[in-house]
Amino acid sequence: MLETIIDARRHDLGDGFEVGRALPNRVRRMVGPFVFLDHMGPLEMAAPIPKNRDVRPHPHIGLSTVTYLFEGQMTHRDSLGCEQVITPGALNWMTSGRGITHSERFDGMREKGGLIEGVQAWVAMPAENETDAPSFDHHDAAVLPAFTDAGISGRVIAGSAYGLTSPARTFSPLFYVHADMPAQSRLALPTDYPERAVFVAAGEIEVAGQRCHADQLLVFSKGAASTLLATQPSRVMLLGGESVGPRYIWWNFVASRRDLIEAAAADWKTGRMPLPPLDHDEFIPLPDMPRLAERQ
């Protein structure tokens, strides 16, 4: 059963590069371990792409960033020394653990411009893992398990769904799936996870007679069998899993304990978190830090 519908809020990352932010939201902070969901673009970027549209080096703790593109190209650099070009259908899974810094740049598109579109999610780590050493993993599109059914083409990005399991290393039970649905096709939502949602990236889908459009996140009640009907060609992201418990969320930090966020903020402000060795000439400064709200 459809429990709630969240309209993504437009958020400008700089120089007119807007994203639709579906999580966190005042009516629903998390879905399973997913604590953040941004729809990047679609945006046609004219050449040359200005550098102030890049995401400069910044820190994370307590989460994994999950970057997945439909169109375009980005370059990831992090404080472990990793540099990786992200292309459509590939998965970038960066685990921050106790602390990592990274940047996201449009180097490969800068001179020619072009269309950029994708989704970035944050997955909160279980409390027993949130202070683990950071790590970085990249999986090309060809190694992510794909499925087809009645014209639908899909890919299991992370976790397990539809009898398939992604090679991505996760820390708690979850599923994250990309599916392209032709008009009038139907797709059943996995039922073996307690928290589930669907993000409509493009097109329009119908659930139990209710039509839902692009940039909406549909949250479903526990255990209920639900089927998506594409009323027009549509692109959807299916996500969810088991809860890891409430989290403090502030700026780029996610943690089960307030003191972990306060310590990370102090480390970033005083320069104790190293910058990416391949991208260390600038960074995003720490914003003013208000009193942290209770965990949600």
Side-chain angles (χ1 to χ4, degrees):
M1 181 180 296
L2 183 57
E3 186 177 282
T4 189
I5 300 174
I6 296 172
D7 290 309
R9 297 165 289 116
R10 303 310 296 176
H11 183 76
D12 193 332
L13 297 183
D15 194 50
F17 184 38
E18 288 192 343
V19 298
R21 182 158 296 167
L23 287 176
N25 186 278
R26 62 180 178 82
V27 299
R28 187 71 183 236
R29 299 286 283 176
M30 301 173 68
V31 176
F34 288 84
V35 72
F36 180 95
L37 192 73
D38 264 5
H39 182 201
M40 303 177 286
L43 178 66
E44 186 69 39
M45 299 192 291
I49 298 171
K51 287 198 171 184
N52 59 1
R53 196 166 279 179
D54 296 349
V55 181
R56 293 170 293 156
H58 59 281
H60 291 288
I61 65 164
L63 58 90
S64 297
T65 63
V66 186
T67 307
Y68 184 85
L69 296 181
F70 305 131
E71 302 284 348
Q73 181 178 307
M74 299 175 72
T75 300
H76 160 98
R77 299 183 181 96
D78 64 41
S79 52
L80 299 176
C82 301
E83 181 175 40
Q84 178 65 54
V85 175
I86 313 170
T87 53
L91 167 63
N92 252 38
W93 186 285
M94 185 188 76
T95 299
S96 65
R98 59 179 173 259
I100 197 170
T101 68
H102 75 135
S103 63
E104 296 152 312
R105 306 260 186 194
F106 294 111
D107 293 350
M109 298 179 63
R110 198 169 311 281
E111 299 307 318
K112 294 183 179 180
L115 180 66
I116 186 73
E117 184 181 10
V119 175
Q120 185 173 89
W122 293 356
V123 175
M125 302 176 70
E128 60 267 27
N129 298 113
E130 62 184 347
T131 57
D132 286 357
S135 61
F136 174 78
D137 297 288
H138 176 83
H139 301 277
D140 289 333
V143 305
L144 298 178
F147 63 91
T148 58
D149 181 30
I152 296 171
S153 59
R155 180 177 288 122
V156 178
I157 303 168
S160 299
Y162 304 115
L164 302 171
T165 298
S166 166
R169 182 171 67 106
T170 59
F171 294 86
S172 63
L174 61 84
F175 71 102
Y176 192 33
V177 175
H178 163 209
D180 289 322
M181 305 176 63
Q184 300 308 308
S185 64
R186 296 176 183 270
L187 180 63
L189 191 64
T191 58
D192 46 355
Y193 294 91
E195 299 189 12
R196 302 167 301 155
V198 173
F199 181 73
V200 184
E204 180 185 78
I205 64 171
E206 183 178 300
V207 179
Q210 185 164 356
R211 294 199 172 190
C212 306
H213 57 75
D215 272 340
Q216 287 189 319
L217 181 73
L218 321 178
V219 183
F220 292 81
S221 57
K222 181 178 179 179
S226 300
T227 299
L228 315 177
L229 168 66
T231 59
Q232 56 184 262
S234 300
R235 172 174 287 157
V236 295
M237 304 293 282
L238 288 63
L239 59 126
E242 294 185 8
S243 172
V244 294
R247 287 293 183 270
Y248 292 103
I249 306 168
W250 183 79
W251 193 41
N252 298 314
F253 305 139
V254 172
S256 63
R257 297 181 355 232
R258 183 191 302 265
D259 63 290
L260 293 176
I261 289 184
E262 293 171 342
D267 286 345
W268 183 244
K269 186 174 183 179
T270 57
R272 291 194 294 266
M273 296 181 75
L275 293 170
L278 300 174
D279 192 358
H280 54 74
D281 292 334
E282 55 181 345
F283 60 90
I284 299 175
L286 186 79
D288 291 336
M289 189 172 183
R291 177 179 170 82
L292 285 175
E294 292 305 308
R295 294 185 299 171
Q296 299 185 55

